[in-house]
């Protein structure tokens, strides 16, 4: 049995993180001691390790909750249930990567168009572009450029 500080230290996190997971229903102490301290079992420690591993590969709290529900009832579930969660996350990650690539391209265009000199920013091409261009123009140009690559 572990007290909250012991379990947190064992996993390299702080006690507030355990309280956060408890508040969000991901983890609950197995018991409370006579003086009200949270007490965690080895099963709780394994559940925490699962949560931390899932978090380390990018799953959100909601996704971790879904994975935990499958884990708890894995004899009643099928492997495709888990794969669906992973594949959905993979789609989201790929969409985010594409969005970030478009951001990078647009920012590079802005940076490349500016001399970066020490004169007044009154004629700064970056500010002019941000003042007058439709943001969709940057996104469209970035999408077209990446489609050609």
């Amino acid at each position: 049995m572990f007290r909250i500080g012991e379990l947190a230290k064992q996993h390299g996190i702080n006690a507030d993180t355990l309280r956060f997971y408890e508040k969000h229903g991901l983890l609950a102490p197995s018991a409370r001691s006579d003086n009200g301290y949270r007490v965690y079992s080895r099963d709780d420690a394994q559940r925490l390790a699962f949560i931390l591993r899932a978090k380390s590969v990018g799953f959100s709290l909601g996704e971790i909750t879904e994975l935990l529900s499958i884990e708890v009832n894995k004899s009643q579930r099928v492997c495709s249930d888990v794969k669906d969660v992973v594949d959905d996350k993979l789609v989201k990650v790929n969409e985010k990567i594409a969005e970030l690539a478009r951001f990078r391209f647009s920012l590079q265009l802005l940076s490349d168009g500016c001399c970066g000199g020490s004169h007044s920013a009154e004629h700064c091409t970056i500010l002019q572009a941000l003042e007058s261009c439709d943001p969709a123009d940057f996104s469209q140009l970035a999408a077209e450029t990446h489609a050609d690559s």
Side-chain angles (χ1 to χ4, degrees):
M1 299 299 269
F2 308 96
R3 286 184 33 190
I4 192 167
E6 296 167 333
L7 185 60
K9 185 175 182 180
Q10 179 182 351
H11 289 276
I13 59 175
N14 62 48
D16 288 339
T17 302
L18 287 175
R19 289 184 196 97
F20 178 82
Y21 291 154
E22 183 179 345
K23 177 181 173 187
H24 286 64
L26 295 172
L27 184 69
S30 293
R32 294 260 182 181
S33 66
D34 291 339
N35 55 7
Y37 290 122
R38 291 168 173 87
V39 180
Y40 297 91
S41 68
R42 294 219 180 272
D43 287 344
D44 297 329
Q46 289 175 337
R47 184 177 178 100
L48 176 60
F50 181 96
I51 292 166
L52 295 173
R53 284 190 295 271
K55 185 175 175 283
S56 75
V57 296
F59 287 109
S60 68
L61 293 182
E63 292 160 341
I64 293 171
T65 299
E66 188 174 357
L67 289 169
L68 284 169
S69 74
I70 296 170
E71 169 70 16
V72 169
N73 297 310
K74 57 185 161 189
S75 65
Q76 310 295 315
R77 304 296 291 268
V78 294
C79 193
S80 66
D81 294 336
V82 182
K83 185 171 178 9
D84 288 346
V85 175
V86 171
D87 288 347
D88 288 346
K89 184 64 173 188
L90 190 56
V91 166
K92 291 175 188 171
V93 167
N94 284 329
E95 289 170 352
K96 188 66 172 176
I97 289 169
E99 179 185 35
L100 290 170
R102 288 189 303 273
F103 288 162
R104 181 183 62 216
F105 182 81
S106 297
L107 290 168
Q108 191 65 59
L109 282 176
L110 289 170
S111 179
D112 290 347
C114 180
C115 69
S118 60
H119 58 286
S120 168
E122 289 178 305
H123 302 289
C124 177
T125 56
I126 294 173
L127 294 177
Q128 290 171 354
L130 293 173
E131 290 168 355
S132 62
C133 290
D134 183 346
D137 294 342
F138 289 113
S139 296
Q140 182 63 32
L141 183 57
E144 289 170 2
T145 304
H146 286 296
D148 294 339
S149 302

